[in-house]
Amino acid sequence: MATERNLETSKLEFFLDVPFPSSHEATIALRSLDPDKEPRRGGISKHLSVSGSTLSVRWSADEARILRVSVSSFLDHLSLVVETMEVFGPPVDL
Amino acid sequence: MEHLLSDPGRQSDTLQLEASQAFNQLAAMTVVIGFEGSANKIGIGIIRDGEVLSNPRRTYITPPGQGFMPSDTARHHRAVILTVLKEALEQAELKPADIDCVAYTKGPGMGAPLVTVAIVARTVAQLWGKPLLGVNHCIGHIEMGRLITKANNPTVLYVSGGNTQVISYLERRYRIFGETIDIAVGNCLDRFARVIKISNDPSPGYNIEQMAKKGTRYVELPYTVKGMDVSFSGILSFIEEAANKMLRSGQCTAEDLCFSLQETVFAMLVETTERAMAHCGSQEVLIVGGVGCNLRLQEMMGVMCKERGAKLYATDERFCIDNGAMIAQAGWEMFRTNQVTELEDSWITQRYRTDEVEVTWRD
């Protein structure tokens, strides 16, 4: 987890890595969390990716307040996904 | 004797045939689970070919004088959704493997609660390896009403805290004949309840309905029908302004105000519904949505229907008020016509009009 000011774009950036038991579960989390986009002109962008069994999220925002709201709501959603996996997982093999 | 001896082969053939027929029937059955959480109710229901197997629900109830805010409502839904999901499966006596499709509310509604519920629907759909299906909330109400009442092709009055629409089906769309031009009728009732601090438990509308029964004096309120459309914000402003003054001066009681508000807004709804029926030559009315379980509204609509020789269909609070089974039922209809929603297209939307959906399951 890290926040920094990008000196070239003067945007605030935030990085988050979340480890999952497998790449399958990391991908499920990505596909559950990715569909709802940030507001188009909200001064913030968020990018999700999976590498191995790690879900990585990268934010870029104009203002700290907007960044904080987005990160905090993402963490709420992430913990709901993890809880759902704990109760109703593991994923079936297709 | 000889006949019987020659029979065993045929008998076992028949049995085999029956068994395979039963198997085919079972295999052809479609089980859909529906997730609803677009406002202050979170509900998960399971439907198997028109049969409601389970439909548990929780309501986020705020203190008197307060409405429900999106982020608090989402927090409520997050806290209970997995418990409600367990209940839905247990009451239906089903395992995830028995489910064919996971339906959820795509919209319309409050953003934060919609996202919360969609996220769990997406996650279990992937964990269980099942297709996902985004459902229009309004279509859910209509299809659940049609299922429960067996109304064939009714003029629909959809009245709730967020929506007020008069709808008629024509050529693969549920078309909106009239609607509110500002706030929903249920929102008008809820906000009036807040002004005079009526309890939100079990719902403000229910408590207004009970108090209205004791009202005796009709206080005249603005009556705002504009063609096929209705407006409630002026009525609300008027009563917000007048209520506490009139109560303090003893001009009327809170019960009188509840009575007067109900009579006025329900008369407006009955008028526009009747006009839509006349326009479409319809002889059936179906009332759906949370306000639809108000018995006084049903009674007033019943009088109008009787005068026209039409039939009124309504359901009780289990299916009128937001619930998971209604999303499962609309999902069932959609799934049976081969609709599914890809995960990347499963974003929620706060605005989603009833007539945006192509009704692929009706002639």
Side-chain angles (χ1 to χ4, degrees):
Chain A
M1 233 189 268
T3 322
E4 56 190 46
R5 174 79 68 176
N6 186 318
L7 294 172
E8 277 173 35
T9 61
S10 83
K11 289 206 178 229
L12 283 166
E13 294 182 331
F14 189 82
F15 304 97
L16 176 69
D17 282 346
V18 189
F20 279 87
S22 68
S23 73
H24 189 181
E25 275 145 314
T27 305
I28 290 177
L30 178 137
R31 300 179 77 190
S32 292
L33 294 165
D34 205 34
D36 298 298
K37 304 298 178 198
E38 297 293 328
R40 226 170 274 162
R41 279 181 292 275
I44 185 157
S45 70
K46 179 177 87 211
H47 184 258
L48 280 72
S49 61
V50 164
S51 154
S53 58
T54 303
L55 170 69
S56 299
V57 193
R58 196 181 73 226
W59 280 267
S60 169
D62 298 333
E63 281 176 54
R65 180 182 57 87
I66 297 165
L67 180 62
R68 181 183 58 77
V69 169
S70 176
V71 171
S72 127
S73 119
F74 181 86
L75 292 177
D76 284 339
H77 294 157
L78 174 68
S79 55
L80 184 59
V81 167
V82 171
E83 247 184 282
T84 306
M85 286 176 168
E86 280 166 4
V87 181
F88 294 99
V92 295
D93 289 318
L94 286 180
Chain B
M1 207 55 193
E2 203 178 69
H3 182 74
L4 272 180
L5 278 174
S6 64
D7 226 53
R10 284 186 63 186
Q11 252 180 1
S12 83
D13 275 354
T14 317
L15 279 176
Q16 236 169 19
L17 191 69
E18 275 170 11
S20 85
Q21 273 169 347
F23 178 78
N24 281 339
Q25 221 168 14
L26 206 65
M29 281 190 148
T30 304
V31 180
V32 179
I33 188 167
F35 288 72
E36 156 60 31
S38 59
N40 69 333
K41 274 73 106 184
I42 163 92
I44 302 174
I46 301 178
I47 292 248
R48 180 173 61 203
D49 289 359
E51 185 190 354
V52 180
L53 299 181
S54 63
N55 200 16
R57 167 173 70 198
R58 298 282 192 286
T59 305
Y60 172 53
I61 295 171
T62 47
Q66 284 179 33
F68 52 92
M69 305 301 273
S71 62
D72 301 330
T73 310
R75 188 175 309 123
H76 167 266
H77 291 2
R78 277 203 304 277
V80 297
I81 188 167
L82 297 180
T83 310
V84 178
L85 177 51
K86 271 190 235 162
E87 279 176 22
L89 290 166
E90 279 166 17
Q91 287 167 19
E93 296 179 1
L94 289 181
K95 292 183 292 299
D98 302 322
I99 288 162
D100 295 300
C101 175
V102 177
Y104 71 98
T105 307
K106 185 176 179 66
M110 284 184 163
L114 279 172
V115 172
T116 299
V117 174
I119 282 173
V120 173
R122 288 176 198 135
T123 305
V124 295
Q126 293 182 83
L127 288 172
W128 302 341
K130 306 293 177 185
L132 189 67
L133 192 43
V135 172
N136 178 301
H137 179 86
C138 316
I139 303 281
H141 275 296
I142 297 170
E143 293 308 334
M144 197 65 198
R146 289 181 65 225
L147 172 71
I148 298 294
T149 65
K150 308 281 175 237
N152 176 41
N153 184 23
T155 297
V156 180
L157 175 67
Y158 169 30
V159 274
S160 68
N163 293 279
T164 303
Q165 298 178 342
V166 180
I167 299 158
S168 188
Y169 177 77
L170 187 74
E171 291 179 357
R172 306 225 135 186
R173 300 272 165 180
Y174 283 112
R175 297 179 194 268
I176 303 167
F177 272 68
E179 62 191 312
T180 177
I181 57 171
D182 40 59
I183 59 172
V185 62
N187 192 238
C188 179
L189 294 169
D190 292 354
R191 285 161 70 174
F192 164 71
R194 276 180 237 162
V195 172
I196 61 166
K197 300 275 173 12
I198 293 174
S199 165
N200 291 324
D201 189 6
S203 72
Y206 177 84
N207 293 324
I208 291 174
E209 183 182 357
Q210 304 318 310
M211 287 172 72
K213 290 176 184 166
K214 299 189 199 97
T216 52
R217 204 168 343 175
Y218 180 75
V219 177
E220 199 161 322
L221 299 170
Y223 182 94
T224 354
V225 171
K226 313 213 176 224
M228 287 304 298
D229 295 328
V230 288
S231 159
F232 299 106
S233 69
I235 301 172
L236 179 65
S237 302
F238 180 90
I239 207 164
E240 275 177 343
E241 176 78 18
N244 285 316
K245 277 185 214 156
M246 292 176 81
L247 292 177
R248 264 196 306 272
S249 67
Q251 267 176 283
C252 66
T253 63
E255 285 76 10
D256 293 336
L257 287 175
C258 290
F259 165 73
S260 307
L261 183 59
Q262 277 200 169
E263 295 301 303
T264 307
V265 298
F266 293 167
M268 290 163 53
L269 296 171
V270 173
E271 182 191 329
T272 43
T273 306
E274 182 172 21
R275 197 169 298 126
M277 290 171 77
H279 191 81
C280 303
S282 164
Q283 292 290 31
E284 290 180 330
V285 178
L286 170 65
I287 309 181
V288 299
V291 181
C293 60
N294 187 301
L295 295 178
R296 179 57 186 152
L297 172 60
Q298 291 184 15
E299 185 183 29
M300 288 168 71
M301 194 67 80
V303 171
M304 181 273 282
C305 284
K306 205 174 165 198
E307 283 171 5
R308 299 183 62 86
K311 201 158 168 12
L312 171 65
Y313 297 92
T315 60
D316 62 32
E317 81 290 340
R318 290 170 301 165
F319 305 114
C320 248
I321 297 175
D322 292 351
N323 63 91
M326 66 184 235
I327 301 304
Q329 175 59 16
W332 185 91
E333 295 279 13
M334 293 168 77
F335 186 64
R336 295 275 285 207
T337 54
N338 300 316
Q339 291 196 48
V340 290
T341 305
E342 297 302 329
L343 277 158
E344 53 269 34
D345 301 325
S346 68
W347 34 269
I348 61 93
T349 169
Q350 300 193 55
R351 298 184 199 285
Y352 191 9
R353 282 177 68 79
T354 315
D355 53 13
E356 278 178 54
V357 178
E358 192 190 352
V359 181
T360 50
W361 56 93
R362 284 185 68 176
D363 295 329

